[in-house]
Amino acid sequence: MSKRTIIFQEHKKITIKEIDELFYFTILYYDKWSSRNIIKQSEYIVVAACRGLMKISLEEVNGKDYLFITDDISDFTDYPKQIDDFLSLQCDNDSKVTAEMLYHAILDSTNELFQEMRLTDIYYNYKYLSEGKTGSSKIDIYTSSFDKYINDIFPNSKDVAVEKIMLKLGIVKQDAILLFERWKKFYLIDYHPYEEWIPNPPKEILTIEQFKDRISATRIDVKKNESTGELYFEVGNVKGKVSTKEIPKHPMISLFITSDSNEHWLLHEEGSVFGVPEIAKF
């Protein structure tokens, strides 16, 4: 298949990418303003190589970043506002996808052919970009922005993993150790005796209703440990951790199995826990 050379420009930084002629990037979302899309997801095609795509740029206009697409059909002057209006309409205020997040999502997807990402996934994968700008980039046990790099860092010993986290993410050792402890605490990594720490993707990711059906429960109680301030949940004899500081707005529950064959349940925000990496799609 033939390739196309695309220029990615983030302000003054330029990156050249070779993409397939069939490449496109689509946002999947549930239309907040249409009752016809309550169940079926809608699609918003942001870029497509078949449109004669030549350049994708992130530019600041009047103090705000906009995504500019240069191809054969997009209106260069109006399309950035169309994208910005779409993101403003379809994103919640506390999980708004910015033009910068979308730019990096497209840039990181150029090795795919038909990349589709949900708005929630874009936000949780790239929210660290806006956190750094607002001065709230302090990493704590609830920082999920870097979870997507787990498979790049492990398997490794703890010491080697911490060094690799520092190099890959450009953070100080204290924050790297905190990230390691987060991944350990919420079962995202697991230690195999006499081996190394390895990625530990969830065996299942369930909706709240699916989880209730699984264990024949009618309600889930989220409680707070007054001594630690951490949340946890209980359902009958089942008890699990909560990976967020507050009660998740779009909750999901995942099952993790560690090397000691124990099962662990984790309540988390939708899109913030990654499953087994995909090698190929058919």
Side-chain angles (χ1 to χ4, degrees):
M1 289 184 283
S2 58
K3 297 286 186 178
R4 174 181 291 270
T5 300
I6 304 298
I7 299 172
F8 282 82
Q9 182 168 352
E10 182 179 10
H11 305 300
K12 294 182 179 180
K13 179 182 177 182
I14 295 177
T15 303
I16 306 297
K17 287 282 190 177
E18 294 288 326
I19 66 171
D20 195 277
E21 287 282 1
L22 298 177
F23 171 80
Y24 66 74
F25 185 94
T26 298
I27 294 175
L28 301 177
Y29 66 102
Y30 291 100
D31 195 335
K32 293 172 64 176
W33 305 102
S34 173
S35 59
R36 294 174 300 175
N37 291 300
I38 293 175
I39 303 300
K40 189 179 186 309
Q41 287 189 107
S42 298
E43 296 184 356
Y44 182 90
I45 299 177
V46 183
V47 294
C50 63
R51 295 174 175 174
L53 182 62
M54 293 171 281
K55 183 179 180 181
I56 301 173
S57 56
L58 185 70
E59 301 180 21
E60 184 178 316
V61 179
N62 296 326
K64 181 176 181 178
D65 284 341
Y66 289 88
L67 191 67
F68 287 81
I69 309 297
T70 307
D71 57 26
D72 293 339
I73 68 170
S74 298
D75 185 329
F76 186 79
T77 57
D78 189 50
Y79 194 51
K81 186 177 184 305
Q82 291 179 21
I83 296 175
D84 187 67
D85 288 345
F86 165 78
L87 295 176
S88 297
L89 285 170
Q90 299 301 335
C91 294
D92 295 329
N93 289 332
D94 58 351
S95 57
K96 188 179 186 312
V97 174
T98 64
E100 183 182 26
M101 294 178 192
L102 182 54
Y103 172 87
H104 282 275
I106 299 171
L107 179 61
D108 291 345
S109 301
T110 51
N111 291 329
E112 304 286 339
L113 281 182
F114 316 119
Q115 180 66 318
E116 299 176 331
M117 289 188 74
R118 299 180 304 170
L119 280 171
T120 54
D121 292 334
I122 296 174
Y123 175 75
Y124 283 108
N125 285 349
Y126 297 97
K127 67 176 182 176
Y128 70 90
L129 294 167
S130 60
E131 288 173 345
K133 288 186 175 180
T134 59
S136 59
S137 60
K138 292 180 181 179
I139 293 173
D140 62 22
I141 203 71
Y142 300 108
T143 302
S144 62
S145 308
F146 303 103
D147 294 351
K148 62 180 179 175
Y149 296 111
I150 287 176
N151 290 298
D152 297 331
I153 294 165
F154 299 94
N156 260 317
S157 66
K158 177 178 179 178
D159 289 342
V160 174
V162 168
E163 291 296 326
K164 199 166 183 179
I165 293 169
M166 293 169 60
L167 289 173
K168 185 168 187 63
L169 305 182
I171 60 178
V172 298
K173 188 171 184 177
Q174 180 180 354
D175 286 343
I177 292 173
L178 193 51
L179 272 183
F180 181 92
E181 293 303 320
R182 165 189 164 73
W183 296 338
K184 173 184 173 183
K185 179 182 182 67
F186 296 126
Y187 317 114
L188 302 179
I189 58 175
D190 184 34
Y191 184 74
H192 278 227
Y194 311 110
E195 295 182 24
E196 299 173 315
W197 289 93
I198 64 172
N200 187 40
K203 298 301 179 185
E204 294 182 86
I205 301 178
L206 307 175
T207 65
I208 296 300
E209 292 307 315
Q210 288 172 333
F211 177 71
K212 287 179 180 178
D213 289 342
R214 169 71 63 85
I215 63 173
S216 301
T218 57
R219 55 180 281 179
I220 297 174
D221 295 321
V222 178
K223 302 179 179 181
K224 187 174 185 178
N225 185 321
E226 295 301 330
S227 61
T228 65
E230 297 177 352
L231 300 179
Y232 66 95
F233 72 90
E234 287 183 334
V235 189
N237 295 325
V238 177
K239 185 175 179 179
K241 294 181 179 180
V242 179
S243 67
T244 52
K245 191 177 298 184
E246 306 292 340
I247 296 175
K249 288 184 169 55
H250 306 286
M252 302 285 284
I253 295 183
S254 290
L255 171 65
F256 293 85
I257 300 178
T258 47
S259 59
D260 55 9
S261 299
N262 286 327
E263 294 186 350
H264 307 274
W265 292 100
L266 182 69
L267 176 64
H268 58 86
E269 193 71 59
E270 180 185 10
S272 64
V273 167
F274 298 86
V276 178
E278 289 181 340
I279 305 250
K281 294 181 180 179
F282 300 98

